[in-house]
Amino acid sequence: MIRLKDFWQKIKAELLTDKDVVLALIVEKKGSAPRGVGAHMLILQDGTTVNTIGGGILEHLAVEKAKVNLVQKKSSIEDFSLNNKTAAQIGMVCGGQIKVLLQYLNKKDLPQIETAINLLENGQKFIVKIAWKNQMKEFDFTVLTKENKELKHKSSFEINADGGMYLEKFKQNPTVYLFGGGYVAQEVAKLLPDLEFDYCEPHTCDFNHELGEQNSQRI
């Protein structure tokens, strides 16, 4: 897992070199699954990924779908239905119904990506709005400031016969500082991404700068 700002900067870096990408978002979950709504991952043209939406064969299938989208230059919403039987068949220990939105991004989306980065650098929240119509043949990707649109919850998903929309609130995660590299610190570090915390070891970050950030936490 990488910091949210670094994640969006990675998208910008790829698009600046004319390398299209796919942003994968879990938009709906019913039942048990490794990660919940809002988990996000970036799929690059060579099939490599940044971050995770849960790992395992489920993530592999999402990446394979994303590769097709990159070739066809399109976005899509994919359904993965995993009951106890099918989950076991593909090597997963949990089952459920998961919708993954695979948003195709290219250079024309750079202004929206830059807006997201600028807001994060200023310590502001933003909302990603993805709307679709015409039987999911047309997808529109927009970054909104908090003032443009307010959300009661972290995300909102609606779909109907004519189209639909997904909204998700993004903000820079608070930082936890880990002192020492012992067994306890290593295990704590594994838990932090799922708890929506960034973590930093003093020798790997700009310690003085990080401690001055308003949203940081220290342990």
Side-chain angles (χ1 to χ4, degrees):
M1 301 285 289
I2 65 172
R3 300 185 66 183
L4 186 59
K5 185 169 68 174
D6 296 333
F7 181 86
W8 289 89
Q9 286 176 334
K10 177 63 175 176
I11 297 177
K12 178 180 177 179
E14 293 293 309
L15 299 186
L16 282 173
T17 57
D18 290 314
K19 295 178 181 178
D20 303 342
V21 300
V22 167
L23 173 62
L25 298 160
I26 295 181
V27 297
E28 185 177 79
K29 182 189 80 167
K30 296 179 181 178
S32 178
R35 301 205 67 197
V37 172
H40 55 274
M41 178 176 72
L42 184 65
I43 300 105
L44 309 183
Q45 285 191 348
D46 62 1
T48 58
T49 61
V50 180
N51 279 6
T52 179
I53 56 171
I57 190 65
L58 173 63
E59 188 166 295
H60 170 74
L61 293 173
V63 170
E64 291 304 304
K65 292 282 189 180
K67 289 180 181 178
V68 175
N69 285 15
L70 283 167
V71 172
Q72 298 180 350
K73 301 183 182 298
K74 70 171 190 177
S75 302
S76 66
I77 297 176
E78 305 294 338
D79 289 296
F80 299 97
S81 182
L82 305 171
N83 56 37
N84 290 337
K85 181 179 179 180
T86 57
Q89 288 174 344
I90 63 173
M92 297 188 71
V93 296
C94 53
Q97 289 76 47
I98 302 166
K99 287 186 185 292
V100 180
L101 196 163
L102 299 173
Q103 177 65 42
Y104 168 77
L105 299 171
N106 60 21
K107 204 166 186 176
K108 71 176 179 58
D109 297 300
L110 266 172
Q112 301 300 322
I113 304 302
E114 289 173 340
T115 296
I117 293 170
N118 290 335
L119 289 168
L120 286 172
E121 288 178 341
N122 291 320
Q124 296 178 274
K125 302 174 183 177
F126 65 88
I127 293 171
V128 164
K129 174 186 174 184
I130 301 175
W132 54 90
K133 58 183 179 180
N134 192 19
Q135 297 181 331
M136 295 189 183
K137 293 180 181 178
E138 300 176 41
F139 282 72
D140 181 61
F141 174 84
T142 312
V143 172
L144 306 172
T145 64
K146 184 181 176 183
E147 288 72 24
N148 293 141
K149 184 78 176 181
E150 188 59 73
L151 279 178
K152 292 182 179 179
H153 305 288
K154 187 177 187 295
S155 65
S156 171
F157 176 69
E158 58 182 66
I159 188 168
N160 53 56
D162 298 323
M165 180 168 57
Y166 177 69
L167 297 167
E168 183 178 340
K169 189 184 305 179
F170 283 83
K171 63 179 181 179
Q172 185 64 55
N173 294 340
T175 301
V176 171
Y177 292 90
L178 296 175
F179 293 85
Y183 294 116
V184 173
Q186 291 176 27
E187 294 304 314
V188 170
K190 294 176 184 178
L191 297 173
L192 293 175
D194 287 337
L195 297 174
E196 298 188 352
F197 284 96
D198 291 326
Y199 71 89
C200 183
E201 299 174 29
H203 69 280
T204 64
C205 62
D206 185 347
F207 189 57
N208 291 327
H209 172 72
E210 294 282 350
L211 282 180
E213 292 186 353
Q214 185 176 0
N215 66 348
S216 64
Q217 298 185 20
R218 177 175 175 176
I219 64 171

